[in-house]
Amino acid sequence: MMVFLSRPLKRIGQARERLSHRVLSLGKRRLRNRYSVLGEAPILDRRTLILYNPKAGSLKAQPTKNGVPSPEESATALHEAAKAVGLNATIEPTPPPEALRQRVLAAQAEGYEVVAAAGGDGTVRPIAQALIGTSLVLGVLPVGTDNNFAHSLGLPFSLPEAMQVLATAPVRRVDVGCIGEEYFLEAAGVGLFAQIISLFGPDGPHLFRFGRDWKLLLPLLLNPPARRLQLVLDGNTYAEEATMVSICNSIYLGARFAVAPDAKLDDGLFDVVMVGALSRWELLRFALALRFGNTLQLPKVTCLRAREVEISRVRYRQRPLPVHADDHIAAHTPVKIKVIPQALCVVAPDSTQSAP
């Protein structure tokens, strides 16, 4: 009897072994397809160029011998974090703005797949701008101060965890905003925020210039100016008296203010947040709402969605207003702002799993 059954049992065992081998191969193939850059290479074989800002907040906080990190010490911290997760990375300081596009094109020619920005939003945005139109993927190591874009992507903020995401997360496509030939990741707009940037630049007021800065800032806060604007959203015209209009591609702006709590990076739409004329007390209430992310509950705040937005003064001869794109002034009214859907590839958790 045992001899009779041995051959069928052997065949069953061989069939199970073949089936297990096929299941294992299929699992490996699915894992490789899920976590490869554009489906071409295993995750840890992603050839990555990390461009870092030595002055970024978290890199400055790395322990050093003399307490002031040199670029080499910052690079060592990044190299050790990349080595710990097995990431194939080259680490360089961020080149000057005029040389950034050339370095990105050289990286593409050299066979890199990912260019990662190690720094804050001021480091991420120009690198993202340089990557648009290439085959390269953006990575983000959020070691800066506010890290608005990284927050919207749902990235972790410790360097080891962020490096693990850079090595293992899938590639997402996200939208960018466009003013002329310039791209932005967070928001563009007119009004209060743009006026503050015009006065103080991207870094805002400084404590060591307290007297001079407050002399400029106080009139804006005591008597927040409202402008009569004409907005055209996807062909629909609105006339608004507004303290601020923000055309948001992502949730956060400035010092991690949740201007558009419901904005999504991959829906192909702007969240257009319009803030009406405010008294000084309403402005204070608005500032608190920005911090806690409930601006849309205020009676003088309206949010609409659109793919293309035009902003102009109601009267043609009125003085043009500055228009900011993220942290700098990019244009003046009249201006046309449009969304470019899925324009940027970025290494990040899936949007259904990430949380702001």
Side-chain angles (χ1 to χ4, degrees):
M1 177 68 70
M2 292 302 296
V3 174
F4 177 76
L5 291 176
S6 62
R7 186 173 296 175
L9 289 173
K10 184 177 180 179
R11 289 177 178 172
I12 292 172
Q14 291 173 343
R16 284 180 175 175
E17 186 177 351
R18 287 195 299 270
L19 180 60
S20 298
H21 178 72
R22 288 178 181 175
V23 170
L24 182 60
S25 299
L26 180 61
K28 287 180 178 179
R29 191 180 308 120
R30 285 179 176 172
L31 187 64
R32 187 162 56 245
N33 289 340
R34 181 182 178 187
Y35 292 108
S36 64
V37 177
L38 303 181
E40 293 177 0
I43 281 298
L44 297 183
D45 287 342
R46 284 178 174 169
R47 193 171 177 213
T48 302
L49 173 64
I50 298 176
L51 300 178
Y52 70 95
N53 177 7
K55 298 180 181 179
S58 297
L59 289 180
K60 287 193 296 186
Q62 296 293 331
T64 60
K65 293 180 181 179
N66 58 9
V68 180
S70 66
E72 292 75 18
E73 291 169 328
S74 298
T76 299
L78 290 167
H79 176 75
E80 290 175 354
K83 185 178 178 181
V85 299
L87 181 64
N88 178 16
T90 301
I91 298 165
E92 300 176 4
T94 305
E98 63 273 11
L100 183 55
R101 177 67 177 179
Q102 287 80 358
R103 182 63 190 102
V104 164
L105 294 176
Q108 182 175 241
E110 291 163 11
Y112 286 98
E113 298 164 286
V114 177
V115 175
D121 294 305
T123 303
V124 173
R125 191 200 64 81
I127 292 176
Q129 166 110 5
L131 292 180
I132 294 172
T134 73
S135 62
L136 295 168
V137 175
L138 174 67
V140 179
L141 295 171
V143 293
T145 303
D146 296 314
N147 305 302
N148 292 331
F149 187 58
H151 268 281
S152 295
L153 287 171
L155 296 175
F157 291 92
S158 77
L159 182 56
E161 292 179 359
M163 195 68 77
Q164 183 68 41
V165 168
L166 183 61
T168 60
V171 173
R172 290 174 54 188
R173 286 189 174 272
V174 299
D175 309 331
V176 299
C178 179
I179 301 177
E181 296 183 356
E182 182 165 346
Y183 301 100
F184 62 89
L185 301 175
E186 301 169 41
V190 299
L192 189 61
F193 193 79
Q195 288 175 289
I196 291 173
I197 293 176
S198 295
L199 289 173
F200 304 109
D203 296 328
H206 290 273
L207 288 177
F208 63 83
R209 298 197 309 248
F210 182 82
R212 169 180 134 359
D213 285 0
W214 272 98
K215 193 177 292 185
L216 296 172
L217 188 60
L218 204 56
L220 289 179
L221 301 181
L222 293 178
N223 298 291
R227 312 293 188 187
R228 191 72 178 169
L229 303 175
Q230 179 172 287
L231 306 176
V232 182
L233 280 61
D234 291 340
N236 299 309
T237 301
Y238 303 84
E240 299 287 338
E241 188 176 12
T243 301
M244 186 174 86
V245 176
S246 289
I247 295 91
C248 299
N249 185 52
S250 61
I251 296 172
Y252 300 99
L253 179 63
R256 207 184 303 166
F257 295 130
V259 177
D262 299 328
K264 293 180 174 58
L265 281 165
D266 54 5
D267 62 354
L269 294 169
F270 289 129
D271 279 34
V272 183
V273 179
M274 296 176 284
V275 183
L278 301 178
S279 68
R280 65 188 65 169
W281 304 115
E282 288 172 328
L283 179 63
L284 177 60
R285 186 181 176 191
F286 175 69
L288 293 173
L290 280 176
R291 178 54 64 191
F292 293 104
N294 56 3
T295 54
L296 302 186
Q297 298 175 17
L298 299 179
K300 291 189 177 180
V301 177
T302 305
C303 182
L304 300 173
R305 290 190 169 90
R307 294 178 175 82
E308 185 174 289
V309 180
E310 298 178 44
I311 306 175
S312 61
R313 303 294 297 268
V314 170
R315 295 181 181 176
Y316 179 75
R317 293 187 178 181
Q318 288 178 320
R319 187 172 64 179
L321 297 175
V323 181
H324 78 87
D326 291 342
D327 63 354
H328 67 285
I329 300 302
H332 288 78
T333 56
V335 68
K336 180 183 290 187
I337 304 169
K338 58 183 179 180
V339 66
I340 311 296
Q342 312 288 296
L344 182 66
C345 291
V346 59
V347 180
D350 185 84
S351 58
T352 60
Q353 299 173 356
S354 61

